[in-house]
Amino acid sequence: MTRVLIPTGALGLGYDRAALSRGIANRPDIIAVDGGSTDSGPSYLGRGVSKYSRASTKAEWRGLMQARAEAGVPLVIGTAGTCGADSAVDWLLEITREIAAETGQTLRVATLKSGQSAAAVKAALAEGRIAPLFPAPEISDALIDACSNIVALAGAEQIAAALATGADIVIAGRTTDTAIIAALPLVNGDHPGACWHGAKIGECGAIATTQPATGVIQIDFDATGFTMEPMALTAAATPYTVSAHMLYENSDPFVLYEPGGHLDVTGASYTALDARRVRVEGSEWIRGVYTVKLEGARVAGYQTVALALLRDRRYVRHAREWAADVQARVAAQIVERMGLSPDDFTLELRLIGMDATLGPLENRTTTPVEVGVLGIVTCPTEAQAAEAGKMLNPYLLHHALTEDEPMPTFAFPFSPAEMQRGALYEFCLNHVMRLDDPMSAFRLDVHEVGHG
Amino acid sequence: MAELGTLVEKVRSKNAGPFWLTVDIFCGSAEAFARVTTGLDTTRVAHLFGVEPQAMKRFDIPDLNVVKLSVPRPVVQGTRADRDMHGAGWAVLVEEMEIA
């Protein structure tokens, strides 16, 4: 039997301290927490940084390091720093060193790095070891070179190797959400289908319970299945909340692909042991070729945005034609004055209050009180984006619907009116890479941290 | 006819990775599930989303009273044309559909 304590869906989201203490009192074998996801977009991987504040991350990580010290078991984090790039692992290692020094802890910390060099990925491509998932962008050496970061998603094998170093803390770069939870139960010989299924249910902490915000859950894995229990006394796991979590952020609710195989939960049964605990059996792990998924992000241009507000009723009523006119005039000016070709840049005006969320798919119309006009210009260089953004300014401020009317002025919430967003990144890989040795694409290092 | 959102507990849309979008319709009861599974035309949802009907995967899950629809993201997450980083806004197109 292996008892895994999961404090929260992601470091940075917070957790219930009383529930965490209850989890520690139950003597877990390991504490596992996720540190990231692609869900916030490509910029984090592109830049290799965390989306959460350093102060929040440090405060929550300090609490987990304290809980680990009390429990005397390993603490493992996957996809450190939102994106799991090597720089994000280094960032969390530095925070760990600070906390160790501040709290007088001496620790063995293993770092598992998932970053892939362009040379390694190009070699794998040439050797036929890279295959597209669906849908996948076209891949080429040039595209691989253009990525500012490429990571491979580690599985249970690499986490197990990190744990085998005897580490008190494992800071892993990009991993699958489930690998950090499944690794130790798999090493202990618990039921493989249950290990992966329980890991999927537990990856978001208490989301698979009646009180998602409480965060902390405990999963017991054994030879035939797993049992899930939320650690907040007010939260309950029910067969419904547990089984419904297979739907979450998953395109197929019965199948989950992982390095080295896939999970099939078609035959799983969910039983309430009491009002708060659920037992799951019958899920299957089907072995396959050992592949790891790749994620990459590259710069796709540079953006400047500006926001203006139309409150005048006549302009609100005619917002669409006004915006189309501004768009056409500014685009022409960018071509004429900056010498860009129309293919070099995009200029878009999204009308907040009308269809900014859904664009052409919006099928409701109404007359709003006001309309926010979000101008977005994307150019090949940062300097061009800054220039083009400034060209939007006079039009967003004063452009009149007709020539024979007094010059209008619209509301700008800021000065300067335009905001440079820096690089626009995009995800450009949806591929898997075959490995003969699971560790061959990952780097494991052991650090002695703290006093000594 | 009724608006789908008034018949069910919740409609949720999310990314399933940067390249997929998934919509979960939590019907809340066997009756609502029966009405949604018979009344919901997948082709119409595809048209509302601006995607090819054959690109849409549908799972009717009676154990959960859930209908799940998954489709390659019409606009890849975070590209310049993307308006909705987490894919949360697509749910309203399903919620506001009229069904028999």
Side-chain angles (χ1 to χ4, degrees):
Chain A
M1 204 277 276
T2 310
R3 175 164 287 177
V4 181
L5 180 65
I6 301 152
T8 177
L11 187 71
L13 283 181
Y15 47 82
D16 179 321
R17 285 184 179 271
L20 182 65
S21 300
R22 206 166 294 117
I24 295 301
N26 284 353
R27 305 181 60 81
D29 296 299
I30 189 168
I31 305 168
V33 66
D34 188 21
S37 156
T38 57
D39 213 35
S40 301
S43 176
Y44 304 99
L45 177 61
R47 292 180 294 141
V49 300
S50 168
K51 78 167 186 173
Y52 292 115
S53 84
R54 193 180 197 279
S56 288
T57 302
K58 187 170 176 179
E60 292 185 21
W61 190 235
R62 181 195 298 269
L64 296 186
M65 283 176 62
Q66 192 57 42
R68 186 219 67 82
E70 285 168 35
V73 297
L75 165 65
V76 52
I77 183 165
T79 313
T82 305
C83 61
D86 293 355
S87 52
V89 172
D90 290 336
W91 177 76
L92 192 59
L93 177 61
E94 184 185 274
I95 291 173
T96 307
R97 285 187 197 279
E98 287 173 15
I99 296 169
E102 289 160 14
T103 57
Q105 294 188 56
T106 304
L107 299 162
R108 170 173 287 195
V109 179
T111 53
L112 178 76
K113 288 193 169 168
S114 307
Q116 306 297 309
S117 71
V121 179
K122 284 189 287 186
L125 182 65
E127 289 159 17
R129 288 192 290 114
I130 291 184
L133 298 170
F134 177 78
E138 280 294 312
I139 192 174
S140 65
D141 283 1
L143 178 99
I144 293 165
D145 282 326
C147 289
S148 54
N149 272 311
I150 299 175
V151 289
L153 277 69
E157 292 76 8
Q158 297 84 359
I159 298 297
L163 291 170
T165 63
D168 300 303
I169 295 178
V170 174
I171 301 174
R174 190 69 170 118
T175 65
T176 68
D177 294 345
T178 42
I180 50 164
I181 302 170
L184 186 64
L186 285 167
V187 168
N188 290 349
D190 296 324
H191 188 276
C195 291
W196 288 109
H197 191 184
K200 168 63 189 167
I201 300 305
E203 50 125 355
C204 288
I207 284 194
T209 74
T210 54
Q211 288 188 342
T214 56
V216 194
I217 59 166
Q218 163 187 302
I219 303 183
D220 289 344
F221 297 90
D222 57 44
T224 55
F226 71 90
T227 301
M228 169 166 159
E229 178 181 351
M231 289 295 99
L233 294 175
T234 48
T238 69
Y240 181 82
T241 62
V242 172
S243 56
H245 192 67
M246 277 302 290
L247 302 165
Y248 195 72
E249 296 179 346
N250 194 12
S251 62
D252 185 322
F254 300 107
V255 173
L256 188 68
Y257 283 87
E258 293 285 339
H262 71 270
L263 168 71
D264 187 334
V265 305
T266 315
S269 64
Y270 302 81
T271 313
L273 294 183
D274 53 35
R276 303 185 53 251
R277 293 183 305 149
V278 170
R279 174 76 182 167
V280 182
E281 296 190 356
S283 7
E284 259 193 288
W285 170 252
I286 293 116
R287 235 170 228 298
V289 177
Y290 200 91
T291 60
V292 288
K293 193 177 171 199
L294 297 174
E295 288 168 356
R298 66 166 174 176
V299 173
Y302 293 83
Q303 283 189 329
T304 299
V305 297
L307 182 65
L309 302 165
L310 310 183
R311 178 61 181 79
D312 179 291
R313 262 183 279 188
R314 183 166 149 259
Y315 279 84
V316 167
R317 219 164 33 239
H318 297 282
R320 208 177 294 278
E321 58 189 276
W322 178 84
D325 195 24
V326 170
Q327 201 279 342
R329 286 168 190 263
V330 176
Q333 206 171 83
I334 291 171
V335 170
E336 187 193 313
R337 296 187 177 172
M338 289 177 57
L340 289 179
S341 117
D343 298 335
D344 288 337
F345 71 96
T346 52
L347 171 65
E348 218 190 327
L349 271 66
R350 294 186 190 164
L351 302 181
I352 299 169
M354 297 185 69
D355 62 359
T357 309
L358 293 167
L361 301 179
E362 182 55 69
N363 51 35
R364 297 268 151 148
T365 50
T366 181
T367 306
V369 171
E370 62 182 357
V371 174
V373 182
L374 178 63
I376 308 171
V377 62
T378 311
C379 292
T381 73
E382 197 155 20
Q384 289 165 342
E387 277 285 283
K390 289 189 175 78
M391 287 183 179
L392 254 178
N393 188 319
Y395 290 89
L396 288 183
L397 186 61
H398 287 314
H399 185 61
L401 271 169
T402 59
E403 283 177 3
D404 45 4
E405 64 180 282
M407 185 180 75
T409 302
F410 305 106
F412 274 8
F414 308 115
S415 169
E418 62 280 350
M419 295 158 266
Q420 285 183 248
R421 289 220 326 108
L424 170 77
Y425 289 88
E426 63 184 24
F427 287 118
C428 52
L429 295 175
N430 191 27
H431 295 74
V432 290
M433 179 167 72
R434 199 180 74 242
L435 299 177
D436 296 325
D437 166 10
M439 283 307 291
S440 60
F442 299 89
R443 289 166 314 289
L444 182 59
D445 293 294
V446 176
H447 316 261
E448 304 297 337
V449 165
H451 293 263
Chain B
M1 297 295 279
E3 205 173 84
L4 186 144
T6 63
L7 303 173
V8 305
E9 260 179 12
K10 185 183 174 182
V11 182
R12 168 180 80 189
S13 64
K14 296 275 300 180
N15 299 328
F19 297 91
W20 282 81
L21 184 72
T22 192
V23 183
D24 299 322
I25 307 169
F26 294 90
C27 299
S29 70
E31 297 73 46
F33 179 73
R35 180 149 178 204
V36 170
T37 46
T38 35
L40 182 70
D41 178 355
T42 314
T43 305
R44 264 183 64 213
V45 180
H47 287 146
L48 288 174
F49 281 21
V51 301
E52 293 297 321
Q54 58 269 27
M56 194 161 265
K57 295 200 282 182
R58 171 168 166 177
F59 304 88
D60 292 354
I61 311 165
D63 288 351
L64 295 172
N65 292 320
V66 163
V67 176
K68 185 176 185 68
L69 298 162
S70 295
V71 69
R73 229 174 178 284
V75 177
V76 174
Q77 183 202 9
T79 50
R80 76 180 69 182
D82 187 23
R83 294 164 173 272
D84 182 3
M85 195 61 58
H86 296 78
W90 298 80
V92 302
L93 290 172
V94 176
E95 230 168 55
E96 295 177 357
M97 265 178 91
E98 293 280 333
I99 68 164

